[in-house]
Amino acid sequence: MGYYVRAFCTKGEPSPLRPVLEYAAECGASLALDPPVSESSLDEGSWEQVGIAYKDHKAPILFEINRDDGKDESDMREEIEEFIELLEDVRNTRNRRRVEKHLRSTRFIVSAQLPSSDIDEDGYAALGHVLTYFVNNNGAMIQADGEGFYEGGKVIVELD
């Protein structure tokens, strides 16, 4: 099982992939979709899963968007409830309440599954650029497995 990092997004709709890749390029990362998609697909916001390659001969980082599909028990809402339950074991602080409020306001989740043994510093940098795009454009709060919730690059609530 891979390591997951999530962006809980509270604003707007999921972005097409082109602006995400362009943002990463502006930051100095040359990313490509793996497998490649048509040019027109880069401009659609309806993508669900995509591999993003950051370096030849390295496994891509797998990204998935989990949307609220309007059903009472959507996968996205179930995932949010699981995180809210995890927070019950954390001391009740202002940061914990801020994370809970953010989770309840989430419109969609971008999850990144990192290759378990085949990622290097460039891969972590690529991941950071993609996640920063969602922070800047969709009000995302970042959560990393085994670490916690991040804001401004710092852990504000630790989770085991």
Side-chain angles (χ1 to χ4, degrees):
M1 186 163 131
Y3 177 78
Y4 283 86
V5 179
R6 295 165 188 85
F8 289 88
C9 301
T10 58
K11 297 178 185 170
E13 297 297 324
S15 176
L17 293 166
R18 186 181 311 276
V20 176
L21 297 176
E22 288 173 349
Y23 175 80
E26 291 171 10
C27 295
S30 178
L31 306 181
L33 300 185
D34 183 9
V37 299
S38 68
E39 278 294 309
S40 63
S41 294
L42 289 173
D43 296 317
E44 297 172 3
S46 60
W47 63 277
E48 293 180 10
Q49 291 183 325
V50 66
I52 296 185
Y54 63 92
K55 189 185 277 186
D56 288 341
H57 309 294
K58 289 287 189 183
I61 300 169
L62 302 177
F63 287 87
E64 178 179 329
I65 289 191
N66 199 339
R67 297 169 173 86
D68 187 350
D69 57 12
K71 297 178 184 172
D72 287 339
E73 295 181 21
S74 73
D75 290 341
M76 186 195 89
R77 290 288 158 210
E78 285 181 23
E79 188 168 8
I80 288 170
E81 287 305 316
E82 289 173 15
F83 277 102
I84 289 172
E85 286 177 21
L86 287 173
L87 287 169
E88 290 175 0
D89 294 334
V90 174
R91 192 167 56 94
N92 189 4
T93 64
R94 183 174 48 119
N95 284 343
R96 175 187 147 182
R97 290 187 300 275
R98 190 164 68 226
V99 170
E100 288 174 348
K101 182 178 179 183
H102 191 94
L103 290 173
R104 292 184 198 288
S105 300
T106 295
R107 296 171 59 106
F108 62 95
I109 303 168
V110 178
S111 299
Q113 180 182 6
L114 282 62
S116 54
S117 63
D118 191 36
I119 191 162
D120 61 18
E121 283 185 34
D122 293 331
Y124 289 111
L127 171 68
H129 298 317
V130 172
L131 295 175
T132 299
Y133 176 89
F134 289 101
V135 168
N136 293 343
N137 293 280
N138 298 101
M141 180 179 284
I142 305 303
Q143 179 275 328
D145 283 354
E147 296 175 38
F149 286 88
Y150 284 78
E151 198 169 67
K154 296 178 183 174
V155 176
I156 61 167
V157 173
E158 290 185 23
L159 289 178
D160 295 330

